[in-house]
Amino acid sequence: MAKPSKKPVWGKFNNPLKPQITPSKTLSRAERRRRLWRKIGRGSLIALGVLLLAIAIAFAWFSKDLPGPSTIANRQLPASTRIFDRSGTLLYEAFGDQKRTILKPAEVPELAKQAAVAAEDKNFYKHHGISFTGIARAILVRLHLLPNREAGGGSTITQQYVKNAIPEVGNAHSLTRKIKEAILTIELEQVYSKDEILADYLNVIPYGNTAAGIESATETYFSKSATKEGLSVDEAAFLAAIPQRPTYYNPWGAHTTELVDRRNYILGQMKTLGYINQQQYDSAKATDTLAKLGKRRENIQAPHFVFYIKELLAQKYGDTAVESGGLQVTTSLDLNIQKMAEDTIAERFPAVAKNTKASNAAMVVMDPTNGQVLAMVGSVDFFDVSKQGNVNVATSLRQPGSSFKPIVYSAAFKDKWNPGSTVFDLTTDFGGGYKPSNYDGKTHGPVSIRTALSNSLNIPAVKMISLVGVDNAIKQAKSMGITSLNRGADFYGPPLVLGSGEVRLLDLVSAYTTFANQGRHMPESPILKVTDQTGKVLDETKDEKGDQVLDPAIAFQISDILADNVARSTEFGIRSLLNIGGHTVAAKTGTTSDYKDAWTLGFTPSVAVGVWVGNNNGTPMVRGSAGAMAAAPLWNGMLTRYLSDKPDQAFTRPDSVQKVTIEKFSGKLPTDQTPNDDKITDWLAPWQLPKDKADAVVRVKVCRDSGLLATDNTPPDQVEDRLYANIHSEMPNNPNWEDPVQAWLQQNGFGSSRPPTEQCTTVAPAPTVAITSPSNNQTITGDSVHLAASVQSAFGVSQVEFLIDNISVGRSQSEPYTLTYPTNQLSNGAHEMAAVMTTIDDKTARDSVSFIVDKTGSGSTSNGGPSNGGSTTGGGGNQSTVIVISNIGAQSSKTGAVISWQTNTPATGSVDYGTTPVFGNSTQAGGIATSQSVTLSNLKPGSTYFYRITARADGSSTTSGIRSFTTQN
């Protein structure tokens, strides 16, 4: 084998088809590893150098617009955020009367510093301004791998100080802001001590409610000085809990429970870090810090609404922007309507509280056409902290009771159900022993949906959500603005329709506006415009079109039901507080079974109002404190005020909705037999219109004795017609639903609603007919023969037909079944007579006899009359047959025969035989002619011919029966 060349054939690339060259010297594995690491080392040094250079360039670039550390301490204070109503009236200025007191590092209470470190940055004294573990922890929280309260923020205290004290850093969540923040943080850590940084941090951070800095916060919330009177352990932890989210953790806001939870978490951290011992921890945790809060003294209008707006702003722009960003906010609130709501509660709630033992109430007023909040009262007295007046019940979760029902019925109306549909209000087990009852403790049998909804009956409502599906009901609620039902259908189950799922008053009013706005839901729109301190528009409400979540027909049907004062009078009376004189107003109440929550909601096409009454701590009111008694007085008072100078507005009815009369049990079109009491007239949408006739009542033939189904063979005297109610429950295949309905039908005189399915065994004898005249083989010598028959039939007889020689000679349709037939139409000799009876149900019976006609005297014939025989010969269209006429037996000197024939099958009864050929007169000697024959030619092939023969003698005649023959093909 030739020695391979050491030079690659294809230049510097080896030829894959040639043997490869083995180096003359092989490197060891250790040497190859050393060389690899040297390459990695050189690459890493280069990458590190590039990175450091990039950092240096970035540091220099972003530092050029940042203030130096020495100027930070003298920063100008941030600008105020101002919140206005829709007309421009000032409701609140976030920093309008802010009082800030700067403390020296030595003056800052030690507990305040310890609580801040425990809350925000437990490694504050160990790091150099940036905590990489804190950043990692924040990332894990964002990935939902750690609880939110354990985050402590990804920023250190130094970074938070920079963010709050230096506007140049910016508020936007961006990489640029983080870089600038890191640069200043590192610079500050190089210039100032930890205590100086911590003191500056505690001097500038916002604590909400115009309080900036630890001293101002202590004065605002506890009416004392942090430097003089000092702070207790629970107070220090309480204040340290606020800065993370000052709007959300507002001590006078709606989230005080969450604030106390965060306080307790900080106490635990202080104990872990060794700042307090176990005894101090237990004592502080057991202290009610909220009870120490002073009375709020700031100038504010519509306070619950203002803080609701602040929370929305904080979610979008951040707490710093809200507390010190100089935002100018125009809201949807109408201060005049707000005053109406506040005055109504102030005037009417004392009487309600006295009768129900309720301590609080809330009210929301909205414009259905655009979703704008016109008024919001979150409690009776916002400033009464002892009764949790600062908690905004309008945005708190509460069980809505029956006020949730219209949402479920609106989902049902998307299918076959409509206001006139019948639902059985009967005690029903919905599974697991769940048997809801109505508010009045009674059941009402079959009721229309209009009656069930307007009178707030519970059992029909639970049936409806079971038919609609809980998941579909939740989907419908969410499309209408309900935001809190997030636990799934299995969690809520059918009780959801009775209000087991917690909702917000604000959301529920928003849902009701969908009915008022012809099925179009407009999202809540409490903010009209937001600008920054330079006048730049940050956000502005546009003309929203909303979402068409309900067909306008359904929205009208629900509105019409809820406005039907007559329909709801059964439970509420004709003069209830749900009726606003002179105005078309839809209304619905709601009450929880334990009387913890009472609701009334209602609307016109231009305004929606919702009211809640109860106790913030969940204490039940007096038994019987339903929505109609507890919440309706406030609701009525507000709408009476609002509508006093406004014209009545009817709900818009779509052209497609029409009033239709239906049969109540089946929902189908009534018939002439439908009783008036079983007819219902109501508004129906196109897809709800019935097409079939009502079948709620069924007429069935049964055996009188057994009640089983009669058959065709049942004796008529044993058969009777019975009416059965073909009425079933809404879920016929479910015994829990069906059995109560069948029991109700029995108890109310309807009888069984199930017609029999088994046939009765009583059988009627078969019908018979017997010829009574003539008798068999009787000889008839007179001018006529008497035909008669007797019948036996359990069913009615339609007729008896008499035949002679298979030719019908007449019918009798009533008793006695007789007929007289002249013998001159018959030949002498034997004949067959038959009687065929037909019953009214088309059953038949037959009897037959033979008889002999014997006509004596001149011109008579004998020997049984004419007979024949014959066959066809030939083929094609030239076939012929010979008809042989024999047994004429004439005693006259002149005899003859006539043949009448046709080529189609004769009908029963009268027969037209066409032409009548005459052939041969026999004149044989002695006058005896006993036979004759005739040939018929030119017959059609494959045809059947029918004929009869008449023999004549001296004017008398006798005729044979119908004969036939068939020609060949």
Side-chain angles (χ1 to χ4, degrees):
M1 180 180 292
K3 184 177 179 181
S5 173
K6 293 185 179 181
K7 182 178 181 181
V9 177
W10 295 344
K12 69 175 185 178
F13 298 100
N14 290 332
N15 184 349
L17 302 179
K18 296 291 183 177
Q20 299 301 302
I21 307 301
T22 301
S24 58
K25 182 178 181 181
T26 303
L27 297 175
S28 68
R29 180 178 299 176
E31 180 61 24
R32 290 199 300 272
R33 187 181 298 115
R34 282 192 296 271
R35 290 188 179 187
L36 175 61
W37 279 111
R38 282 196 295 269
K39 290 181 180 180
I40 293 175
R42 287 195 298 269
S44 299
L45 289 174
I46 294 172
L48 180 60
V50 172
L51 178 61
L52 291 174
L53 178 61
I55 292 174
I57 294 173
F59 192 96
W61 174 260
F62 287 109
S63 296
K64 66 184 177 62
D65 297 323
L66 296 178
S70 61
T71 64
I72 292 177
N74 299 317
R75 303 300 302 176
Q76 186 176 356
L77 296 179
S80 302
T81 289
R82 308 176 79 196
I83 299 175
F84 304 89
D85 87 332
R86 66 189 307 117
S87 66
T89 301
L90 182 65
L91 300 177
Y92 176 77
E93 187 169 6
F95 280 10
D97 57 352
Q98 175 184 345
K99 182 179 179 181
R100 181 195 301 268
T101 302
I102 303 298
L103 301 181
K104 296 177 181 179
E107 295 176 324
V108 178
E110 193 66 22
L111 277 174
K113 292 191 290 186
Q114 293 172 346
V117 171
E120 302 294 340
D121 189 359
K122 66 180 181 180
N123 295 315
F124 174 70
Y125 289 103
K126 298 178 182 179
H127 60 65
H128 296 286
I130 297 177
S131 172
F132 295 102
T133 58
I135 294 173
R137 186 167 59 249
I139 292 173
L140 290 176
V141 169
R142 288 183 177 272
L143 295 176
H144 304 289
L145 299 177
L146 277 179
N148 186 51
R149 71 171 190 173
E150 295 182 5
S155 301
T156 64
I157 285 177
T158 311
Q159 288 174 290
Q160 292 183 50
Y161 169 69
V162 169
K163 180 173 62 177
N164 283 280
I166 307 172
E168 288 87 348
V169 172
N171 291 316
H173 295 282
S174 65
L175 178 61
T176 299
R177 194 208 78 180
K178 285 294 184 182
I179 293 173
K180 292 179 178 180
E181 185 181 289
I183 291 171
L184 284 177
T185 297
I186 294 171
E187 288 182 346
L188 286 174
E189 287 277 345
Q190 299 301 315
V191 175
Y192 298 103
S193 68
K194 289 287 187 180
D195 282 345
E196 288 174 323
I197 293 173
L198 186 54
D200 285 344
Y201 166 78
L202 290 171
N203 277 328
V204 300
I205 58 172
Y207 285 84
N209 296 301
T210 74
I214 188 66
E215 180 68 8
S216 178
T218 305
E219 292 177 350
T220 299
Y221 297 122
F222 300 123
S223 303
K224 65 178 181 178
S225 169
T227 57
K228 296 177 181 178
E229 288 87 358
L231 292 170
S232 62
V233 174
D234 66 288
E235 292 169 346
F238 184 89
L239 293 177
I242 299 173
Q244 185 188 68
R245 297 174 65 186
T247 303
Y248 184 82
Y249 290 125
N250 177 11
W252 290 313
H255 305 289
T256 53
T257 300
E258 292 83 353
L259 174 59
V260 172
D261 288 343
R262 178 157 171 77
R263 180 206 69 169
N264 293 339
Y265 163 73
I266 294 170
L267 288 172
Q269 289 290 90
M270 292 175 72
K271 180 168 70 75
T272 300
L273 293 172
Y275 294 145
I276 59 174
N277 57 35
Q278 185 67 44
Q279 182 179 356
Q280 289 174 303
Y281 169 79
D282 294 337
S283 176
K285 189 176 180 181
T287 301
D288 184 1
T289 312
L290 289 170
K292 299 181 179 182
L293 291 175
K295 189 172 180 63
R296 202 181 177 99
R297 295 181 301 279
E298 61 184 305
N299 183 23
I300 186 172
Q301 299 191 76
H304 287 107
F305 179 77
V306 164
F307 284 97
Y308 161 65
I309 294 297
K310 287 185 66 178
E311 284 193 28
L312 295 180
L313 294 170
Q315 292 171 11
K316 188 166 187 177
Y317 303 107
D319 286 289
T320 302
V322 174
E323 298 297 336
S324 57
L327 302 178
Q328 306 295 296
V329 184
T330 301
T331 69
S332 64
L333 190 95
D334 187 316
L335 199 54
N336 292 326
I337 299 176
Q338 177 72 19
K339 294 297 184 184
M340 286 185 193
E342 292 174 354
D343 291 346
T344 298
I345 291 178
E347 293 172 10
R348 296 204 174 196
F349 184 71
V352 169
K354 180 179 179 182
N355 295 329
T356 64
K357 302 302 180 186
S359 62
N360 207 358
M363 181 184 295
V364 170
V365 182
M366 293 185 71
D367 185 338
T369 64
N370 51 33
Q372 294 178 11
V373 180
L374 303 177
M376 176 187 289
V377 181
S379 70
V380 174
D381 184 358
F382 173 80
F383 298 103
D384 190 349
V385 180
S386 64
K387 293 183 180 179
Q388 295 184 312
N390 55 311
V391 174
N392 188 353
V393 183
T395 59
S396 300
L397 293 175
R398 292 289 188 275
Q399 289 188 341
S402 294
S403 61
F404 193 78
K405 289 175 182 175
I407 296 174
V408 175
Y409 280 103
S410 70
F413 285 0
K414 290 182 176 181
D415 196 4
K416 64 178 182 179
W417 303 99
N418 62 74
S421 298
T422 292
V423 185
F424 281 92
D425 179 26
L426 300 169
T427 301
T428 304
D429 187 343
F430 290 93
Y434 176 53
K435 298 180 180 180
S437 59
N438 294 318
Y439 177 77
D440 61 5
K442 303 176 184 178
T443 57
H444 307 85
V447 295
S448 69
I449 285 181
R450 176 175 291 272
T451 298
L453 177 54
S454 61
N455 290 282
S456 200
L457 301 179
N458 289 339
I459 298 172
V462 178
K463 284 189 171 183
M464 200 52 54
I465 196 173
S466 300
L467 294 166
V468 168
V470 178
D471 52 345
N472 289 327
I474 293 174
K475 182 179 179 181
Q476 183 63 50
K478 288 184 176 181
S479 73
M480 296 173 67
I482 302 298
T483 61
S484 54
L485 302 178
N486 300 312
R487 293 195 173 188
D490 292 339
F491 175 82
Y492 298 107
L496 176 66
V497 74
L498 305 184
S500 65
E502 294 180 326
V503 302
R504 299 175 178 86
L505 173 60
L506 179 63
D507 288 352
L508 195 55
V509 175
S510 177
Y512 272 61
T513 64
T514 308
F515 301 130
N517 197 34
Q518 302 179 60
R520 186 175 294 278
H521 177 68
M522 304 299 294
E524 296 164 16
S525 181
I527 299 176
L528 302 183
K529 187 176 182 180
V530 180
T531 62
D532 64 14
Q533 55 188 318
T534 67
K536 178 183 177 182
V537 177
L538 302 180
D539 193 11
E540 188 170 11
T541 299
K542 305 298 182 182
D543 292 332
E544 292 281 348
K545 293 183 178 180
D547 297 317
Q548 193 73 43
V549 300
L550 280 177
D551 191 283
I554 297 176
F556 171 76
Q557 288 174 321
I558 296 294
S559 301
D560 189 67
I561 291 173
L562 298 183
D564 192 339
N565 195 50
V566 175
R568 63 171 168 247
S569 62
T570 303
E571 290 294 326
F572 297 95
I574 199 68
R575 297 180 179 177
S576 73
L577 290 172
L578 302 182
N579 186 35
I580 308 293
H583 291 275
T584 303
V585 181
K588 184 70 188 75
T589 62
T591 312
T592 54
S593 58
D594 51 11
Y595 297 103
K596 292 181 179 180
D597 302 277
W599 307 68
T600 299
L601 295 98
F603 53 89
T604 72
S606 60
V607 69
V609 177
V611 174
W612 170 90
V613 170
N615 294 299
N616 283 27
N617 60 6
T619 303
M621 295 175 286
V622 172
R623 184 169 184 79
S625 298
M629 282 72 78
L634 307 182
W635 177 86
N636 180 282
M638 177 60 199
L639 269 177
T640 299
R641 264 188 168 96
Y642 179 85
L643 297 174
S644 61
D645 59 348
K646 295 176 176 62
D648 181 35
Q649 282 184 284
F651 295 108
T652 301
R653 177 179 65 84
D655 293 337
S656 61
V657 176
Q658 55 185 298
K659 275 200 170 181
V660 178
T661 299
I662 61 176
E663 194 276 328
K664 72 178 184 181
F665 289 111
S666 65
K668 299 178 181 179
L669 296 172
T671 66
D672 294 339
Q673 297 180 347
T674 303
N676 288 333
D677 290 344
D678 289 351
K679 297 177 182 178
I680 289 181
T681 301
D682 216 318
W683 296 109
L684 269 63
W687 65 88
Q688 299 164 347
L689 295 175
K691 298 179 180 178
D692 300 325
K693 292 289 186 179
D695 56 357
V697 177
V698 177
R699 187 183 299 273
V700 179
K701 292 184 180 297
V702 299
C703 291
R704 181 179 295 107
D705 296 334
S706 66
L708 301 179
L709 284 176
T711 67
D712 292 343
N713 296 321
T714 304
D717 59 348
Q718 293 294 314
V719 176
E720 69 177 16
D721 285 347
R722 290 185 185 175
L723 295 177
Y724 290 87
N726 185 25
I727 301 173
H728 298 278
S729 68
E730 307 81 359
M731 199 177 286
N733 296 327
N734 187 331
N736 286 359
W737 291 43
E738 182 72 5
D739 292 347
V741 172
Q742 299 308 318
W744 184 90
L745 292 170
Q746 293 270 5
Q747 294 167 5
N748 288 271
F750 282 80
S752 173
S753 67
R754 297 188 179 100
T757 56
E758 185 180 350
Q759 293 182 339
C760 120
T761 56
T762 303
V763 178
T768 61
V769 60
I771 297 175
T772 58
S773 177
S775 60
N776 193 33
N777 294 320
Q778 178 181 348
T779 299
I780 306 300
T781 59
D783 294 334
S784 63
V785 55
H786 180 65
L787 309 178
S790 63
V791 298
Q792 288 186 346
S793 173
F795 305 91
V797 176
S798 174
Q799 68 174 20
V800 174
E801 183 178 21
F802 295 99
L803 301 93
I804 297 178
D805 298 329
N806 288 326
I807 298 175
S808 175
V809 296
R811 298 177 178 85
S812 177
Q813 295 179 326
S814 62
E815 291 186 300
Y817 299 104
T818 63
L819 184 71
T820 299
Y821 190 76
T823 55
N824 64 2
Q825 299 294 321
L826 302 174
S827 63
N828 280 345
H831 297 273
E832 182 185 59
M833 178 260 185
V836 179
M837 177 190 69
T838 303
T839 65
I840 58 175
D841 58 341
D842 293 330
K843 289 183 171 60
T844 60
R846 181 186 178 98
D847 189 26
S848 64
V849 297
S850 295
F851 67 94
I852 300 171
V853 175
D854 184 8
K855 294 180 288 185
T856 61
S858 177
S860 64
T861 59
S862 61
N863 298 327
S867 60
N868 74 289
S871 61
T872 61
T873 60
N878 193 31
Q879 295 191 50
S880 62
T881 186
V882 176
I883 304 297
V884 179
I885 306 170
S886 60
N887 198 27
I888 297 177
Q891 299 300 317
S892 171
S893 61
K894 293 183 178 181
T895 60
V898 176
I899 296 179
S900 300
W901 58 280
Q902 67 177 24
T903 59
N904 60 315
T905 303
T908 303
S910 177
V911 178
D912 179 11
Y913 285 88
T915 60
T916 306
V918 179
F919 59 94
N921 283 327
S922 175
T923 56
Q924 296 183 14
I928 300 175
T930 58
S931 65
Q932 185 62 277
S933 64
V934 65
T935 300
L936 301 179
S937 303
N938 298 320
L939 303 179
K940 295 180 180 180
S943 299
T944 300
Y945 289 82
F946 298 86
Y947 63 94
R948 60 186 177 186
I949 304 170
T950 301
R952 296 176 177 173
D954 295 333
S956 63
S957 65
T958 182
T959 303
S960 72
I962 297 175
R963 316 295 185 183
S964 68
F965 65 88
T966 302
T967 59
Q968 301 175 10
N969 286 320

